[in-house]
Amino acid sequence: MIDLRSDTVTLPTLAMREAMAAAAVGDDVYGDDPSVNLLEERLAALLGKEAGLFVPSGTMGNLIAMLSQCARGDEVITARQYHVYCDEAGGAAIVGGIMFAPLEAASDGALDAAAIADTIKPDDFHNPPSRLLCLENTHCGKAIPLARMQQAAEVARANGLKVHLDGARIFNAVRALDVSAGEFAKTADSVSVCLSKGLGAPAGSVLLGARDLIDKSRRIRKFLGGGMRQAGVLAAAGLYALDHHIDRLDDDHTRAQNLADYLNSMNALEAECATNMVFVKCADRGFGGLAETCAKHGVIITEGGEKTRLVLHLGIDDAALATIKEAFTDWRKSTS
Ligand SMILES: Cc1ncc(COP(=O)(O)O)c(C=O)c1O
C-alpha cells in the first residue's frame, strides 16, 4: 500500500533492520546501553548541546522538556496550532499542572515576536509566571526561517523565559533551508528530535539540552515510565537513520513539489507544498469519494474537510508517485 497519511507510517528498511539486529545493547536505565549512549552523544554533538536523552516518543520528549523547565502553575507560551498544545492530550496540564497561553501562528508557521511580547505576563502575583516558550519547526511541513525563530527566542529570553523547540522534523527544515541543525538548536534551551517521522526509524526521540537539564529530565523520564532497558535495538535504527536518511529527505521534498505541481495542473484543485507535505483544496465539490478512489489504486489517504494532507516519505518512490497521480486523475474524472 502507498500510505500518504503521515511520515510516521514508514517501515524500517532491510538495512535498518540489519543494523538493529547487530546492535550492541545493555540496560539503558543503568546507562549501560552503548547504542543508546552513542545516539545521545551523536545527536548532542550535531545540535551543539551538552547531552541527550533517548525517549520513546516525541510527545514524551516535549512533555519532559516542559516538566523539567516549569513548575506547577507556570505558563507555556506556544501556538494553538502546535503539536504540544493540540495533539499531546494535555499532558503538561495533567502531569505538571502547567497552563498554556496559545497564540495564533503566523502564515509562515512561526510565532511572531510581538505577539509573544504581548503575552508574557508581568511579574505580578495575580499572573501565572510565564516560564517557557515552545516553538515548532517544521510546522505543518513549513520550514520556519532561522531569523523568525531567533526573533521569537530573543523576546522570550529578554524576559527570563526558557525556550523549547519541538524539532520533530527539524532535519526537514535543515535540508529545505540549508541551515545547520546546530544553528536552529542555538535558539532553544531544549530540543526534541523525532527519529520515527521522515528519518524512518520505528520509534524514539531524543531530547537535547544542557547537562543539568538532561540529568533532571532522566529522573522525569523514569517517573513517566519512559526508561527502557535494551533500547539499543531502537537506538541502532536511529543511528542508521542519522547516517543514511537525512540527506535523502530532499527526495521527499522534490516528490512533494512534483505532486503539488501535478495537482495544481488539474481543474479546480489547488495544492501547496511545504517540505514533505502537500495540502490540497478542491474548489468545486469537496473531497467526496477521494479516499475510496485512492484505495482502489492502493493509496491510503485521510480525506480532509477543507484541505487534504498528503505526506511524502521514504516509502514513496517514483513508481508510487505515478500511482498517486493516476488515483487523483481517476477521481477527478469520476467527479467532473
Ligand atoms: C510536530 C510534532 N511534534 C511532536 C510529535 C509527537 O511525536 P510522537 O508521535 O512520537 O509522540 C509529532 C507527531 O506527529 C509532531 O508532528
Side-chain angles (χ1 to χ4, degrees):
M1 296 299 274
I2 299 165
D3 195 337
L4 295 175
R5 288 171 301 170
S6 176
D7 46 13
T8 57
V9 302
T10 44
L11 302 177
T13 62
L14 184 57
M16 182 180 274
R17 286 169 194 258
E18 281 166 0
M20 294 170 75
V25 295
D27 188 327
D28 180 48
V29 176
Y30 286 122
D32 283 350
D33 190 302
S35 302
V36 171
N37 293 342
L38 182 60
L39 176 67
E40 291 172 348
E41 281 160 24
R42 278 195 57 190
L43 267 167
L46 205 53
L47 274 81
K49 299 293 184 201
E50 285 175 2
L53 182 71
F54 188 52
V55 294
S57 67
T59 299
M60 191 181 284
N62 286 337
L63 178 58
I64 294 175
M66 290 185 277
L67 293 175
S68 60
Q69 292 174 98
C70 299
R72 297 189 75 76
D74 282 352
E75 178 184 76
V76 170
I77 298 175
T78 193
R80 78 172 174 84
Q81 296 91 343
Y82 286 180
H83 205 273
V84 281
Y85 178 68
C86 60
D87 274 317
E88 297 185 2
I94 298 166
V95 187
I98 292 164
M99 57 186 285
F100 283 103
L103 306 180
E104 195 66 26
S107 58
D108 65 356
L111 270 177
D112 283 325
I116 296 166
D118 282 349
T119 306
I120 295 172
K121 310 283 185 292
D123 185 11
D124 177 310
F125 71 87
H126 293 89
N127 301 139
S130 303
R131 192 72 66 199
L132 183 71
L133 172 69
C134 273
L135 304 176
E136 183 178 301
N137 202 1
T138 62
H139 168 63
C140 285
K142 286 178 182 159
I144 296 170
L146 179 61
R148 296 281 277 148
M149 291 182 60
Q150 286 169 333
Q151 287 154 7
E154 209 172 294
V155 172
R157 289 201 169 121
N159 287 280
L161 277 73
K162 299 282 186 193
V163 181
H164 172 65
L165 168 60
D166 176 358
R169 295 183 180 82
I170 194 64
F171 289 108
N172 292 86
V174 164
R175 296 304 301 177
L177 299 178
D178 199 19
V179 170
S180 73
E183 284 299 310
F184 282 123
K186 250 190 229 164
T187 62
D189 300 280
S190 58
V191 185
S192 58
V193 175
C194 283
L195 301 160
S196 60
K197 311 268 173 337
L199 296 189
S205 286
V206 179
L207 179 66
L208 293 313
R211 172 74 55 195
D212 57 349
L213 185 79
I214 296 302
D215 288 346
K216 190 172 178 190
S217 296
R218 195 172 292 277
R219 183 184 295 268
I220 297 170
R221 184 186 72 174
K222 184 66 189 156
F223 80 60
L224 292 175
M228 298 180 285
R229 301 295 178 174
Q230 287 71 36
V233 284
L234 292 174
L239 287 165
Y240 181 88
L242 294 185
D243 288 332
H244 301 282
H245 290 173
I246 293 182
D247 293 0
R248 68 145 308 285
L249 291 171
D250 293 356
D251 299 343
D252 301 340
H253 299 178
T254 305
R255 289 194 184 102
Q257 186 60 60
N258 181 303
L259 179 59
D261 291 345
Y262 182 80
L263 296 175
N264 275 323
S265 73
M266 295 172 77
N267 186 28
L269 292 191
E270 201 184 298
E272 236 182 276
C273 171
T275 61
N276 65 326
M277 301 187 188
V278 176
F279 293 86
V280 55
K281 284 187 194 170
C282 180
D284 53 4
R285 317 173 47 151
F287 290 111
L290 176 62
E292 213 178 305
T293 307
C294 282
K296 284 187 197 146
H297 290 261
V299 176
I300 309 175
I301 61 148
T302 307
E303 213 172 83
E306 195 207 343
K307 280 184 190 173
T308 287
R309 184 183 82 156
L310 311 167
V311 185
L312 284 285
H313 50 73
L314 57 75
I316 312 287
D317 59 12
D318 286 336
L321 182 63
T323 306
I324 297 160
K325 290 177 182 175
E326 275 166 29
F328 270 86
T329 307
D330 195 11
W331 168 67
R332 282 308 292 168
K333 269 196 217 135
S334 66
T335 53
S336 49

